[in-house]
Amino acid sequence: MKASRYSKKVENRVEYRTAKEYVESFLDKNSGNITRYNVMREDATVLASVDLIASTIATMTIQMFKKTDEGTKQINNKLTYLLNGRANKTVSSFNLIRDFIKDYLLNKDSFIAILHEKGEVTELRNLDKASTSMSKVVYKNDYIIETVLDEKPVKFTYDSVIHLADIEDRFLTIENICLAKKYCSKLVTDYFRSDGSKPLKGVLKTADDLGEDAINFFLDCFVNRMQKTGYSMLDNNIEFQQLSQSSTFQEMLVNELKEDLDNEIFKCFRVPKSLVLGDGKESSYASLNVIQQQFVKSLLPIIKQLEQELNYKLLSEKEIEDGYYFKLNTKNVMRMTPIEQAQYYKLMSEIGLYSVNDVLDLEDRDRIKGGDSHRVSLNYVDIEYANEYQLSNSGFTKEEVDSTIEE
């Protein structure tokens, strides 16, 4: 019979369902099982993207500076140690910031408790989002943070908790993408079950528009004939196309489909796929350098938000008035070749911004005696001395030089 007649045959055999109806049926049966936890924390692409962002930001040194009349001075104190060394007895500062940013990306909100003792900050503790809630104080522009800390219920004022809130809930976007990935796997299982892993030698093609049940009906006839006789004749309008290389259905269709869905996840988090997967198309060091720089720039909104929150929650109004502020150093996560690094140090030294010991500190090398002086090239002079220098070299007397400059 012709391929188109399988659709008519199946109408008398089973109830016909469109692809849309099949998807809706799957969603209805599985919607209750979709939660933030099993979507955001079980998908490998989501976790890889979140870990890359969180680990990159956690690698950045959080520095404190003070603006003075002489310039900007870097400050090292108890706060900078908590933010760059040990946040508390059980957690390093790297893990503190990494988990803080992970909660921010996965849960939309993240919290760090600022613990004091005798007016001094002694510890920074991540708060579990599952047991933490924020409620508004009635008739006041203020909030109370309720949580569980060391297995005890605790309440914090909003000013004693570092809080980041994402503008949009990424779960609303990721949910549909991850659900589609689960549907892909479910579809493969329904179609092929135990035969899904067998190599494909070819594909059957038809120009007719067959429904899902009609395809299943045709495959039943085709497979039963092959099992009984060892061969099967194709009906009109159905063509067998042999594949040049044997592959599985998953390799041909599902991986391609999932790759498209994974690309949507990368877009949602603004993460370059090549930094996660090591894409061969972006294998050159120069291209990876550009991609890394673009990625770090995409993190600036989160970095800026974190800097502002640290300034507001960890510094007093007087300290802010005196010129204190926090800043994340993004330079240590930027990719540079050894030649580029050497050229950078050379330029910074020639214009007097870096001393020899500054460069040695950046390279984790021992300092040298006399290496703290800042030097500039004598080829550059102040503009007020330039005319005098050139006229003197041209043979003019001091009186002639002075009168020429005055004119």
Side-chain angles (χ1 to χ4, degrees), residues 2-207:
K2 292 185 177 181
S4 59
R5 296 186 61 184
Y6 282 100
S7 297
K8 295 181 180 180
K9 274 278 187 182
V10 81
E11 289 177 1
N12 300 324
R13 185 169 177 262
V14 295
E15 180 183 356
Y16 178 74
R17 288 189 300 170
T18 64
K20 180 180 179 181
E21 290 170 338
Y22 188 88
V23 174
E24 290 175 347
S25 174
F26 175 81
L27 297 179
D28 289 340
K29 293 178 181 178
N30 294 274
S31 58
N33 299 325
I34 301 302
T35 65
R36 178 184 292 273
Y37 180 83
N38 62 26
V39 167
M40 299 289 278
R41 295 183 180 274
E42 291 185 0
D43 186 88
T45 305
V46 172
L47 289 181
S49 300
V50 168
D51 186 68
L52 177 62
I53 294 174
S55 298
T56 301
I57 294 178
T59 305
M60 301 175 185
T61 305
I62 302 177
Q63 299 171 317
M64 179 189 283
F65 295 96
K66 181 183 180 181
K67 294 180 180 178
T68 65
D69 294 336
E70 290 77 23
T72 302
K73 180 181 179 182
Q74 185 172 345
I75 306 296
N76 292 310
N77 55 21
K78 176 70 173 180
L79 283 178
T80 56
Y81 175 76
L82 292 174
L83 292 169
N84 297 293
R86 198 76 183 176
N88 55 66
K89 292 181 179 180
T90 60
V91 177
S92 67
S93 59
F94 176 86
N95 290 334
L96 178 90
I97 299 299
R98 184 189 61 183
D99 294 343
F100 183 57
I101 300 299
K102 278 187 175 181
D103 276 346
Y104 165 82
L105 296 170
L106 294 173
N107 299 313
K108 192 180 183 295
D109 289 280
S110 57
F111 304 91
I112 291 178
I114 307 169
L115 303 183
H116 298 80
E117 186 175 326
K118 296 181 180 180
E120 182 182 354
V121 179
T122 55
E123 284 186 286
L124 299 175
R125 299 278 296 273
N126 283 112
L127 299 181
D128 185 5
K129 182 62 173 64
S131 57
T132 303
S133 62
M134 185 173 69
S135 56
K136 194 174 188 302
V137 179
V138 181
Y139 304 124
K140 288 185 179 181
N141 185 25
D142 200 0
Y143 294 88
I144 293 293
I145 309 298
E146 298 182 63
T147 186
V148 175
L149 194 64
D150 297 331
E151 301 181 358
K152 298 178 182 179
V154 183
K155 288 185 179 181
F156 291 100
T157 61
Y158 188 67
D159 286 344
S160 61
V161 173
I162 300 172
H163 172 225
L164 283 190
D166 207 353
I167 297 175
E168 299 292 339
D169 192 347
R170 299 174 196 264
F171 171 68
L172 300 178
T173 302
I174 301 298
E175 175 187 12
N176 294 327
I177 299 174
C178 293
L179 186 57
K181 290 174 69 174
K182 289 187 176 182
Y183 170 69
C184 288
S185 300
K186 177 71 164 57
L187 196 61
V188 173
T189 303
D190 285 351
Y191 274 142
F192 290 91
R193 292 186 177 89
S194 62
D195 292 332
S197 60
K198 290 184 178 179
L200 294 178
K201 300 300 183 181
V203 293
L204 296 172
K205 301 174 60 177
T206 176

Side-chain angles (χ1 to χ4, degrees), residues 52-53 56 266 269-299 333-336 340:
L52 177 62
I53 294 174
T56 301
F266 289 130
F269 287 103
R270 293 192 295 179
V271 169
K273 181 172 66 172
S274 56
L275 294 183
V276 176
L277 303 179
D279 192 351
K281 297 177 182 177
E282 307 290 352
S283 57
S284 69
Y285 193 95
S287 60
L288 282 176
N289 187 19
V290 173
I291 292 171
Q292 178 73 10
Q293 292 178 0
Q294 292 174 341
F295 170 61
V296 173
K297 287 181 180 179
S298 74
L299 301 179
V333 297
M334 304 295 284
R335 294 173 180 265
M336 293 181 70
E340 291 172 336

